[in-house]
Amino acid sequence: MYIPDLDDMLATHARIRPHINRTPVFSSRMLDEMSGAQLFFKCENLQKAGAFKARGASNAVFGLTDAQAARGVATHSSGNHGTCLSYAAGRRGIPCTVVMPRTAPQAKKDAVIGYGGRVVECEPSTSSREAVFAEVVAETGQEFVHPYNDHRVIAGQGTCSKELLEQVEGLDAVIAPIGGGGMVSGTCLTLSNLAPKVEIYAAEPEQADDAYRSFKAGHIIADDAPETVADGLKVPLKELTWHFVSTCVTDILTASEQEIVDAMKLIWKRMKLVMEPSSAVPLATILKNPDVFAGKRVGVVITGGNVDLDRLPWMNT
Amino acid sequence: MYIPDLDDMLATHARIRPHINRTPVFSSRMLDEMSGAQLFFKCENLQKAGAFKARGASNAVFGLTDAQAARGVATHSSGNHGTCLSYAAGRRGIPCTVVMPRTAPQAKKDAVIGYGGRVVECEPSTSSREAVFAEVVAETGQEFVHPYNDHRVIAGQGTCSKELLEQVEGLDAVIAPIGGGGMVSGTCLTLSNLAPKVEIYAAEPEQADDAYRSFKAGHIIADDAPETVADGLKVPLKELTWHFVSTCVTDILTASEQEIVDAMKLIWKRMKLVMEPSSAVPLATILKNPDVFAGKRVGVVITGGNVDLDRLPWMNT
């Protein structure tokens, strides 16, 4: 298991800079008043392909040798990683295959195809996904880029908090949502090296709190099939992300489904930003834990903006 | 009738700068491809109080003498101008009264009250509004700040395209939605003086096309009660805005209700920005008239972001 270090992250930022946005940081007087903290929202919903995952995916793609690149990349994902890998592969002009359950929303398949990638469907089960994916790799020789348990991906996500440190002075804490832990691991990598006094919080839905329980237990606990509106956060930690989470994270905080939807709507309404339910989990936990954040300058990662506008969570409530 | 000039606009920008956001300019590769132009979106949905009207309102409020300020300001508006005037008055710590029909959405009333203003209700008719408003002014001696037919307001709105010129080089055209014509007049004021070669387009809903018909006829035609999803654009031109529109505008383009909603959804989806239906009219007309904009560098004013998230136009379609 190779653990990426500061030099990897710095080389990554130089490599991917032409292919990603240096996303802006926004604040809101009203949300500062509500939270009692100073919040600096790092807007990765305005990232290429609509999510921070363009960082890690670009690093993996642009780090390939020419021979590897000629064969292309492959992954399994029904979320932003598949879209972002397709985006990055398209930028380099190389093939990309994304294995997705046939039941995944058509919009997600279209997003991969829109950037030039190929979608291969599997049945909605782990065994089918693994079998189909093995077939794809055997046929194509494509390089597997895991959504988060990959040192190239983690180094890529770490460039987000490097920018945040450059954009905001005197941060006391950074908080990001946690699913598989790719963004949080990248944040740990960067902050532990460049700003070791900055606290690192991870925010997780109560209904998919495997990272929280892992953190408290001291070993990985994987949920079977968690259900949450924050659908980007259902996946479990793996050994590489567990390394960072278990050694660098200050604490993991959780929020209920209603708290997540309320925080999402609050950001849409007050900050005029379209972002995913997953991206609202940090604000939900901040508002729930004022004692933790009072008076602090807090970087908040808005992880992505790829949401189905016809199925907003408050349409059903 | 006093017509504001370049010096007024420059003095205005100096006066209001501490009270407004220098809003960012965003672009989208995908929308550029769709339009065949290069589009630079000036994001006034990220302005203080959520709309460009904070500029004109701040200018009116901060230009008052101390004696005037002590009495405060008043207006009639069930839209962004009322909210923004309340915002500006709150910044100066002076009273503000907004006359609104009792049938106006509670959220609009709450927005005024949230910034410290007072709402006085009238019946939903012009005669009632005028009678109630006259009463308010007689009682309070408050200074009337018209939503657009006011030289202080127009000079304020003109600061938006001053920033746009500083933020984007080599613009060929600027396009903004037109209702009463305050933003378009401010745009005319600034561009005719600072960048006279830049074309100025106004964009209007087909179902509220009084500015379009006025422009073609050569005199003001006021619609009685137009109905459009772009509810910020229902009001007619007045003499001061007609002066600018009739002398400086290159052309007025119109779009259907469906085209407006489609363009709105496109901006939400691709640019991750929450904005009002009114703000989508320019993009709708650009996509409808590719021959007009092909190959041009076009500034597009996103005028505001105050939309009811529970009543999005595509929820009903």
Side-chain angles (χ1 to χ4, degrees):
Chain A
M1 181 169 88
Y2 178 75
I3 295 173
D5 61 18
L6 179 62
D7 288 342
D8 293 320
M9 189 279 290
L10 295 173
T12 293
H13 207 201
R15 179 182 297 127
I16 68 177
R17 200 173 272 132
H19 311 294
I20 61 165
N21 290 331
R22 184 181 172 89
T23 53
V25 174
F26 291 141
S27 58
S28 159
R29 188 183 56 88
M30 192 265 199
L31 293 181
D32 283 357
E33 281 173 13
M34 284 181 71
S35 65
Q38 282 180 275
L39 307 181
F40 300 92
F41 293 89
K42 175 69 170 162
C43 291
E44 291 290 297
N45 57 330
L46 304 177
Q47 187 50 269
K48 295 285 185 194
F52 76 86
K53 285 173 184 260
R55 297 176 183 268
S58 295
N59 189 39
V61 163
F62 284 91
L64 296 176
T65 65
D66 288 346
Q68 290 172 315
R71 291 191 296 273
V73 287
T75 197
H76 45 75
S77 159
S78 52
N80 285 324
H81 177 66
T83 305
C84 288
L85 191 66
S86 180
Y87 159 77
R91 291 281 295 199
R92 189 160 175 183
I94 68 174
C96 171
T97 308
V98 180
V99 173
M100 292 173 89
R102 62 173 171 73
T103 52
Q106 190 58 40
K108 295 284 186 185
K109 296 173 190 168
D110 290 345
V112 170
I113 295 164
Y115 287 113
R118 176 174 72 117
V119 171
V120 173
E121 295 188 349
C122 64
E123 293 303 308
S125 71
T126 306
S127 57
S128 168
R129 187 195 70 197
E130 287 176 354
V132 171
F133 188 74
E135 223 169 280
V136 164
V137 170
E139 270 174 23
T140 61
Q142 291 180 341
E143 175 75 11
F144 178 32
V145 183
H146 190 279
Y148 53 90
N149 198 47
D150 183 307
H151 65 89
R152 303 164 296 184
V153 170
I154 290 172
Q157 322 310 30
T159 61
C160 178
S161 38
K162 174 168 178 281
E163 292 175 6
L164 187 57
L165 288 174
E166 292 163 0
Q167 291 167 306
V168 183
E169 283 182 9
L171 282 175
D172 298 300
V174 171
I175 183 166
I178 191 159
M183 168 52 74
V184 168
S185 294
T187 305
C188 290
L189 163 55
T190 297
L191 295 182
S192 67
N193 282 287
L194 296 180
K197 287 183 184 163
V198 177
E199 295 176 324
I200 301 168
Y201 291 92
E204 195 175 35
E206 270 171 23
Q207 289 189 198
D209 67 343
D210 54 288
Y212 170 84
R213 287 181 289 120
S214 302
F215 188 73
K216 299 300 174 190
H219 58 85
I220 297 180
I221 299 170
D223 260 335
D224 200 19
E227 257 318 309
T228 170
V229 66
D231 56 2
L233 306 181
K234 292 178 184 177
V235 290
L237 297 169
K238 296 275 185 187
E239 59 271 28
L240 193 50
T241 51
W242 172 245
H243 164 78
F244 286 102
V245 170
S246 61
T247 57
C248 298
V249 164
T250 307
D251 204 358
I252 299 184
L253 306 170
T254 62
S256 72
E257 297 295 291
Q258 191 59 54
E259 288 162 347
I260 293 167
V261 173
D262 289 347
M264 177 177 172
K265 216 170 165 182
L266 201 54
I267 292 176
W268 284 50
K269 183 173 176 183
R270 303 305 307 206
M271 303 191 68
K272 316 300 180 192
L273 292 173
V274 170
M275 28 72 87
E276 302 166 1
S278 301
S279 298
V281 186
L283 179 64
T285 64
I286 288 170
L287 294 175
K288 195 175 181 172
N289 296 278
D291 47 315
V292 176
F293 297 99
K296 290 183 185 169
R297 291 168 67 83
V298 185
V300 183
V301 184
I302 303 284
T303 45
N306 295 328
V307 65
D308 185 344
L309 294 173
D310 294 314
R311 292 165 188 267
L312 299 174
W314 55 83
M315 287 183 181
N316 307 319
T317 57
Chain B
M1 181 169 89
Y2 178 75
I3 296 173
D5 62 16
L6 180 63
D7 287 342
D8 292 321
M9 189 278 290
L10 294 173
T12 294
H13 208 201
R15 179 182 296 130
I16 68 178
R17 200 173 271 132
H19 311 295
I20 61 165
N21 290 331
R22 185 181 171 89
T23 54
V25 174
F26 290 141
S27 58
S28 159
R29 188 183 55 88
M30 192 267 198
L31 293 181
D32 284 356
E33 281 173 13
M34 284 182 72
S35 65
Q38 282 180 275
L39 306 181
F40 300 91
F41 293 89
K42 176 68 171 163
C43 291
E44 291 290 298
N45 57 330
L46 305 176
Q47 186 51 267
K48 294 289 185 192
F52 75 87
K53 285 171 186 264
R55 297 176 183 268
S58 294
N59 189 39
V61 163
F62 284 92
L64 295 176
T65 64
D66 287 345
Q68 289 172 315
R71 290 190 296 273
V73 287
T75 197
H76 46 76
S77 160
S78 53
N80 285 324
H81 176 65
T83 306
C84 289
L85 192 65
S86 180
Y87 160 77
R91 291 281 293 200
R92 189 159 175 183
I94 66 174
C96 171
T97 309
V98 180
V99 172
M100 293 174 87
R102 61 173 172 73
T103 52
Q106 189 58 40
K108 295 286 185 183
K109 297 174 190 167
D110 290 344
V112 170
I113 295 163
Y115 287 114
R118 175 174 73 118
V119 171
V120 173
E121 294 189 349
C122 63
E123 293 304 307
S125 71
T126 305
S127 57
S128 169
R129 187 195 71 198
E130 287 176 355
V132 171
F133 188 73
E135 222 170 281
V136 164
V137 171
E139 268 174 25
T140 61
Q142 290 180 342
E143 173 76 11
F144 177 32
V145 183
H146 189 278
Y148 53 90
N149 197 46
D150 183 308
H151 66 90
R152 302 164 297 184
V153 169
I154 290 173
Q157 321 311 29
T159 61
C160 178
S161 38
K162 173 168 180 279
E163 291 175 9
L164 186 57
L165 287 174
E166 292 162 0
Q167 290 167 307
V168 183
E169 283 181 9
L171 282 175
D172 298 302
V174 171
I175 184 167
I178 190 161
M183 169 51 75
V184 168
S185 295
T187 306
C188 290
L189 164 55
T190 297
L191 295 182
S192 66
N193 281 288
L194 295 180
K197 287 185 183 161
V198 177
E199 296 175 325
I200 301 168
Y201 291 92
E204 195 174 34
E206 270 171 22
Q207 290 188 195
D209 68 343
D210 55 287
Y212 170 82
R213 287 182 289 119
S214 302
F215 188 72
K216 299 301 175 189
H219 59 86
I220 298 180
I221 299 171
D223 260 335
D224 200 18
E227 257 317 311
T228 170
V229 66
D231 56 2
L233 306 181
K234 291 178 185 177
V235 290
L237 297 169
K238 297 274 187 187
E239 59 269 30
L240 192 51
T241 52
W242 172 245
H243 164 78
F244 285 103
V245 169
S246 60
T247 57
C248 298
V249 164
T250 307
D251 205 358
I252 299 184
L253 306 168
T254 62
S256 71
E257 297 295 291
Q258 190 60 52
E259 289 161 347
I260 294 167
V261 174
D262 289 349
M264 177 178 173
K265 214 169 166 183
L266 201 54
I267 292 176
W268 283 49
K269 183 172 176 185
R270 303 305 306 206
M271 303 191 67
K272 316 302 180 192
L273 292 174
V274 170
M275 27 72 87
E276 302 167 0
S278 301
S279 298
V281 185
L283 180 63
T285 65
I286 289 169
L287 294 175
K288 195 175 182 172
N289 297 279
D291 46 317
V292 175
F293 297 98
K296 291 182 185 167
R297 292 167 66 83
V298 185
V300 183
V301 184
I302 302 283
T303 44
N306 295 328
V307 65
D308 185 344
L309 294 172
D310 294 315
R311 292 166 189 266
L312 299 174
W314 56 83
M315 287 183 179
N316 307 319
T317 56

